[in-house]
Amino acid sequence: MDRIVECVPNFSEGRDASVVARLVEAVEAVPGALVLGTHVDTDHNRSVITFVAPPETVVEAAVRVVARASELIDLSRHAGQHPRMGATDVLPFIPVRGVSVEECVALAHEAGGRIWRELQVPVYFYESAAMRPERRNLADVRRGGFELLREQIAGVPERAPDVGEARLHPTAGACIVGVRPLLIAYNVTLKTSDLAIARRIARTVRERDGGLLHLKALGFELESRGVVQVSMNLTSYERTNLHQAFEAVRREAERLGVEVIASEVVGLVPQSALDRAAAHFLQLENYSPDIVLENRIAAALERKKGDGGGNVSA
Amino acid sequence: MDRIVECVPNFSEGRDASVVARLVEAVEAVPGALVLGTHVDTDHNRSVITFVAPPETVVEAAVRVVARASELIDLSRHAGQHPRMGATDVLPFIPVRGVSVEECVALAHEAGGRIWRELQVPVYFYESAAMRPERRNLADVRRGGFELLREQIAGVPERAPDVGEARLHPTAGACIVGVRPLLIAYNVTLKTSDLAIARRIARTVRERDGGLLHLKALGFELESRGVVQVSMNLTSYERTNLHQAFEAVRREAERLGVEVIASEVVGLVPQSALDRAAAHFLQLENYSPDIVLENRIAAALERKKGDGGGNVSA
């Protein structure tokens, strides 16, 4: 796949595995759509499917899975701590390769239009797909959840959906569709049980407090291990990379007399983020994806396909 | 491709680009064979084609390119400094993925048999494919080149080929077929013009003098840049990785008061060598190829193919 959009729908069902399996089926029935993983959270009664597809079929896959969720999940009977307002609660589109944010916004808007027309589920757009500035932040859109929105949707103008009539679907609620960047979730573990140190390092390294651009960070305790962690989100890993986040934490920890034990990626990491880290630490002056054997094989394969299989008469 | 063999034939023609182009065509005409690159050396009048293929077709591609070279290259008219004894001088098979050394040896022997039977070019086997211990080392097999072998092949029993009659092909000479490991050629550049320092570091880090296993190293001057380089070959990069070689050089340089300026990969590097380096320096405790987005996509694609495209009726 040359052009890849990732889609990570969140569903309000995390206890019935057969429902999640049928949602996965709905995605994989669409040509080009590939499920990379599912995460089922029984505590929050919520599940997440991560899939990728080319821009040509990602909307179809997204609409089909939203349709399947609205058949299978009854939000009016749903219980769970996590704020939610739809059977498919959030539907983010993420540009991964060869696709711009603007193209993803167009895809998100197309999906939103179809979700209303085909399923009568009203749609709110968030983050890069937001149509109103006050809806950029997902938490603001979702405040009060299904129950509050049910009371307000018809009467409170600022709670009206971006697409569709001002009434919730009786069982599927509403759907929040958006475009967000590819995140890397990355934690660095420190050899101390002092939470204040993790918090202090988090403040030093994060953008909000004058640290690295595109880096969010918080300090957490890992009680089971008796240590603390700086938990980070890299929101633009091509500009602020893994190794920069790691080095910033390591330097600050060193200054405070604390050792770094390890780091971990939560979820998935793009190959280029690891490659850049390797090139950085090895001081590799001639790094390019082109020196990697597997990439050269993939490129040769593409080239040969383009030639129609080469000169078979030779 | 799940199973990959690399093949890197060396040809005694580095001046006529049309010959090299026709050799490339011969390889690419074989299903599954992919040319990754060519290197043409006019000084040595020699060229190298790097290609990969699955074990099922690599022998066919190898034999076809040797056949094409024996049509196009006349060794009796060839001039060049580099020792050589065939139109296709050396034909190494290299296990890259999902193929053992033993399987590659069987492929090399199959190719050698065909080269004699189909082309009447006598064959010598070297390195892991060697049939006599004194032929493991390529330089020993090739000593004296085409001209000396022409005098000795019939009369000197220890120069008889491993396959074929004891007479050279009149224009294509002989062919040396072997199996060698995947090498990473890796240089580290130092901020000094003192060649003695590069040589001293090379001696410290290489296996031969008690350093790292599977590591060969030499010191060189880079006259144009006024600096020196430790030039290395990693002959088993899964056991002694790039980052271990880099760190060994850096530590020894530091001890001698010399700075590392940069490093460079010569040719290609397997993805896993870069990944291991990234994981090492980032202290990434949960690294596995499975956390890489692109690998997950490839795996999902394979799985979906295996399902026959998923449940299309959904």
Side-chain angles (χ1 to χ4, degrees):
Chain A
M1 265 194 277
D2 293 336
R3 303 176 71 216
I4 300 176
V5 180
E6 190 177 76
C7 189
V8 189
N10 291 224
F11 303 98
S12 296
E13 173 58 66
R15 288 172 190 159
D16 186 342
S18 73
V19 169
V20 179
R22 296 197 54 203
L23 296 171
V24 167
E25 279 175 19
V27 172
E28 295 230 306
V30 174
L34 298 169
V35 172
L36 302 187
T38 60
H39 180 80
V40 178
D41 182 339
T42 47
D43 290 338
H44 286 136
N45 195 9
R46 209 173 153 78
S47 55
V48 175
I49 294 177
T50 301
F51 73 90
V52 291
E56 294 73 20
T57 62
V58 71
V59 171
E60 180 65 22
V63 172
R64 285 211 205 174
V65 76
V66 171
R68 184 70 64 92
S70 82
E71 287 163 22
L72 299 176
I73 300 171
D74 183 352
L75 201 65
S76 67
R77 295 149 160 269
H78 177 267
Q81 282 297 309
H82 200 288
R84 77 282 176 274
M85 56 189 230
T88 303
D89 191 43
V90 193
L91 182 69
F93 291 84
I94 299 141
V96 168
R97 189 193 298 161
V99 182
S100 66
V101 170
E102 293 67 31
E103 287 172 279
C104 278
V105 168
L107 296 169
H109 289 169
E110 182 189 337
R114 287 187 54 185
I115 289 167
W116 167 249
R117 289 195 310 276
E118 299 175 21
L119 309 170
Q120 288 75 54
V121 173
V123 170
Y124 296 78
F125 292 117
Y126 82 105
E127 216 157 305
S128 299
M131 291 179 148
R132 305 184 189 187
E134 66 273 21
R135 289 187 179 166
R136 288 192 74 85
N137 184 350
L138 175 62
D140 293 337
V141 179
R142 197 161 53 185
R143 190 154 292 138
F146 179 68
E147 290 76 9
L148 183 64
L149 186 63
R150 189 162 48 184
E151 292 171 22
Q152 296 186 328
I153 190 168
V156 182
E158 51 270 30
R159 305 255 16 217
D162 291 309
V163 181
E165 291 171 24
R167 52 177 169 79
L168 289 180
H169 185 284
T171 57
C175 184
I176 315 176
V177 179
V179 173
R180 64 163 175 80
L182 186 64
L183 298 181
I184 301 177
Y186 183 54
N187 301 333
V188 177
T189 309
L190 306 174
K191 197 172 183 173
T192 176
S193 58
D194 185 351
L195 178 58
I197 288 183
R199 288 187 169 153
R200 185 163 164 188
I201 294 173
R203 277 194 302 276
T204 302
V205 301
R206 70 191 173 200
E207 175 170 355
R208 196 173 72 187
D209 293 302
L212 293 174
L213 292 178
H214 315 295
L215 184 66
K216 298 177 180 183
L218 291 170
F220 282 109
E221 265 178 296
L222 288 186
E223 278 184 56
S224 59
R225 290 169 67 180
V227 295
V228 298
Q229 214 169 41
V230 180
S231 177
M232 296 178 276
N233 269 331
L234 285 75
T235 59
S236 181
Y237 73 91
E238 286 173 316
R239 282 177 281 186
T240 295
N241 199 4
L242 276 185
H243 64 264
Q244 294 165 302
F246 175 81
E247 287 282 66
V249 171
R250 194 193 52 71
R251 266 197 305 272
E252 186 63 8
E254 195 173 273
R255 205 177 65 80
L256 299 174
V258 173
E259 211 180 300
V260 166
I261 300 176
S263 75
E264 59 170 348
V265 165
V266 181
L268 300 177
V269 60
Q271 185 66 65
S272 66
L274 290 182
D275 283 3
R276 282 154 182 259
H280 166 77
F281 290 110
L282 294 172
Q283 298 176 242
L284 203 54
E285 64 182 356
N286 72 327
Y287 172 75
S288 94
D290 207 39
I291 67 168
V292 178
L293 177 66
E294 286 83 351
N295 296 343
R296 203 66 85 83
I297 292 174
L301 203 55
E302 280 306 308
R303 189 173 39 71
K304 199 170 178 183
K305 269 187 200 160
D307 286 351
N311 173 12
V312 182
S313 67
Chain B
M1 265 195 274
D2 293 336
R3 304 177 70 215
I4 299 176
V5 180
E6 191 178 77
C7 189
V8 188
N10 291 223
F11 303 98
S12 295
E13 173 59 67
R15 288 173 189 158
D16 186 342
S18 73
V19 169
V20 178
R22 295 196 57 202
L23 296 170
V24 167
E25 277 175 20
V27 173
E28 294 230 306
V30 174
L34 296 169
V35 172
L36 303 187
T38 59
H39 179 80
V40 178
D41 182 338
T42 48
D43 290 339
H44 287 136
N45 195 10
R46 205 173 157 80
S47 56
V48 175
I49 295 178
T50 300
F51 74 90
V52 292
E56 293 74 21
T57 62
V58 71
V59 171
E60 179 66 21
V63 173
R64 286 212 205 174
V65 76
V66 172
R68 183 70 64 92
S70 81
E71 287 163 24
L72 298 176
I73 300 171
D74 183 352
L75 201 65
S76 68
R77 296 152 163 265
H78 177 266
Q81 282 298 307
H82 201 288
R84 78 281 177 273
M85 56 188 229
T88 303
D89 190 44
V90 193
L91 181 70
F93 291 83
I94 299 141
V96 168
R97 188 193 298 161
V99 182
S100 67
V101 171
E102 293 68 30
E103 287 173 280
C104 278
V105 168
L107 296 169
H109 289 169
E110 181 190 338
R114 287 186 55 185
I115 289 167
W116 167 249
R117 290 195 309 277
E118 298 175 22
L119 309 171
Q120 287 76 56
V121 174
V123 170
Y124 297 78
F125 293 117
Y126 81 106
E127 214 156 313
S128 299
M131 291 180 147
R132 307 185 188 187
E134 66 273 22
R135 289 188 180 167
R136 288 192 73 85
N137 184 351
L138 175 61
D140 292 338
V141 179
R142 195 160 53 185
R143 190 155 294 139
F146 179 70
E147 290 75 8
L148 183 63
L149 187 63
R150 190 162 47 185
E151 293 170 22
Q152 298 186 325
I153 189 167
V156 181
E158 51 269 31
R159 306 264 3 227
D162 291 307
V163 182
E165 291 170 24
R167 53 178 167 80
L168 289 180
H169 185 285
T171 56
C175 184
I176 315 174
V177 179
V179 173
R180 64 163 174 81
L182 186 64
L183 298 180
I184 301 178
Y186 183 54
N187 301 333
V188 177
T189 308
L190 306 173
K191 197 171 180 173
T192 176
S193 58
D194 185 351
L195 178 58
I197 289 183
R199 288 187 169 155
R200 186 164 163 186
I201 294 173
R203 277 194 302 275
T204 303
V205 302
R206 70 190 174 202
E207 175 170 352
R208 196 172 70 186
D209 292 301
L212 294 174
L213 292 178
H214 317 295
L215 186 65
K216 298 178 180 181
L218 292 171
F220 283 109
E221 265 181 295
L222 289 185
E223 276 183 57
S224 59
R225 290 169 68 179
V227 294
V228 298
Q229 212 167 42
V230 180
S231 178
M232 296 178 276
N233 269 333
L234 284 75
T235 58
S236 182
Y237 73 91
E238 286 172 317
R239 283 177 281 187
T240 295
N241 199 6
L242 275 185
H243 65 265
Q244 293 164 303
F246 175 82
E247 288 282 65
V249 171
R250 193 192 52 69
R251 267 197 305 272
E252 186 62 9
E254 196 175 87
R255 205 177 66 78
L256 300 174
V258 172
E259 211 180 302
V260 166
I261 300 177
S263 75
E264 59 170 348
V265 165
V266 181
L268 300 178
V269 61
Q271 184 67 66
S272 65
L274 290 182
D275 283 6
R276 282 153 181 260
H280 167 78
F281 290 110
L282 294 171
Q283 298 175 238
L284 204 54
E285 64 182 357
N286 72 327
Y287 172 75
S288 96
D290 206 40
I291 68 168
V292 177
L293 176 65
E294 286 83 352
N295 296 344
R296 203 68 86 84
I297 292 174
L301 203 55
E302 281 307 308
R303 188 173 41 72
K304 200 172 177 181
K305 268 187 201 160
D307 287 349
N311 173 10
V312 182
S313 67

